[in-house]
Amino acid sequence: MTAHLQLAELVTACHWIGAKGWAPATSGNMSMREDDVHCLLSESGKDKGSLTANDFIRVEIASNRAPSGRKPSAETGLHTLIYRLFPDAGAVLHTHTVNSTVLSRVEKSDVLILQGYEMQKSLSGQTTHLDTLPIAIFDNDQDIEKLASRIEHYACENPLRYGFLLRGHGLTCWGKNVAQARQHLEGLEFLFECEMQRRLLERT
Ligand SMILES: CSCCC(=O)C(=O)COP(=O)(O)O
Ligand SMILES: [Zn+2]
């Protein structure tokens, strides 16, 4: 698929995320790989539910530089890290949902374990609810370069698939293209909702 068509799909995905209430109050950011060297990233501070193709800014994956001088997402460094770490990643979606924000705080360890859910199979390559699916949680940091460096070190030593949680902040997930990133987002959010409900109901 051409970059032009992928961008149209990304804009549609942003509107879907906005309609779901998963990017409130200008939160969230979205991107796609444009070619080997560049990605297109949402402009910082915009309402991500009403973005147009013109709201995506070309950024150099290696340097985080935006040649246009416009200001891409404050979390650009996390998107470019994912494109550098995973050559197969074609799109990245970052959302601020209540479930990802709260679960990542309630879970005190550095990993949220999902197990026993049929919907684990919504994630590419997962074939059974019996498998243990770890979703890494990183403590939040306003210094995105420091945060990106922590995530990079983790990824050198541990498998990192589908996405990660930023504690008290949200979910960043990816896929080989916009459609798959969107499926991973929807699948993970469903699983987070189940895990929240399970923890609430099984508390006693
Ligand atoms: C109001 S949300 C705070 C910043 C954030 O976490 C986010 O996802 C949006 O930042 P951006 O620069 O991409 O608009
Ligand atoms: Zn954010």
Side-chain angles (χ1 to χ4, degrees):
M1 190 185 284
T2 65
H4 188 72
L5 284 174
Q6 271 294 288
L7 183 56
E9 271 198 32
L10 183 58
V11 169
T12 302
C14 293
H15 296 173
W16 168 74
I17 286 168
K20 290 265 193 193
W22 290 354
T26 77
S27 65
N29 31 76
M30 299 81 185
S31 72
M32 55 167 273
R33 192 190 291 275
E34 189 183 29
D35 54 37
D36 289 347
V37 178
H38 302 104
C39 60
L40 297 174
L41 252 150
S42 51
E43 187 163 0
S44 186
K46 293 231 160 157
D47 170 20
K48 310 312 185 305
S50 48
L51 293 179
T52 70
N54 291 332
D55 296 317
F56 284 83
I57 298 171
R58 181 168 291 126
V59 171
E60 292 171 3
I61 292 169
S63 66
N64 294 339
R65 275 191 59 252
S68 64
R70 289 168 68 197
K71 190 171 181 295
S73 170
E75 292 165 21
T76 289
L78 302 186
H79 291 248
T80 55
L81 173 69
I82 291 162
Y83 293 124
R84 287 197 302 274
L85 284 177
F86 309 116
D88 281 351
V92 178
L93 302 173
H94 167 65
T95 49
H96 285 211
T97 64
V98 173
N99 287 334
S100 62
T101 302
V102 174
L103 254 188
S104 60
R105 293 192 60 172
V106 168
E107 175 56 61
K108 304 292 182 201
S109 80
D110 290 343
V111 66
L112 176 72
I113 299 292
L114 299 168
Q115 203 273 331
Y117 297 111
E118 179 69 9
M119 276 292 280
Q120 289 170 219
K121 288 160 59 184
S122 65
L123 302 171
S124 58
Q126 297 296 316
T127 55
T128 169
H129 64 290
L130 296 173
D131 282 347
T132 294
L133 183 62
I135 302 296
I137 307 174
F138 298 100
D139 288 338
N140 197 24
D141 197 323
Q142 298 305 320
D143 184 333
I144 293 297
E145 290 322 305
K146 261 171 63 183
L147 179 54
S149 158
R150 257 195 291 129
I151 296 170
E152 185 170 12
H153 281 105
Y154 177 92
C156 288
E157 316 244 309
N158 306 275
L160 189 58
R161 291 189 76 186
Y162 313 117
F164 51 75
L165 285 160
L166 301 174
R167 204 180 306 281
H169 180 162
L171 169 70
T172 299
C173 69
W174 57 88
K176 65 180 179 190
N177 51 31
V178 172
Q180 192 183 69
R182 192 173 152 155
Q183 180 172 329
H184 289 167
L185 171 60
E186 193 168 27
L188 284 168
E189 277 302 337
F190 181 91
L191 291 163
F192 295 162
E193 172 75 24
C194 291
E195 192 56 20
M196 278 279 280
Q197 296 286 340
R198 187 187 71 75
R199 289 183 184 209
L200 277 169
L201 293 168
E202 290 184 355
R203 215 152 40 138
T204 47

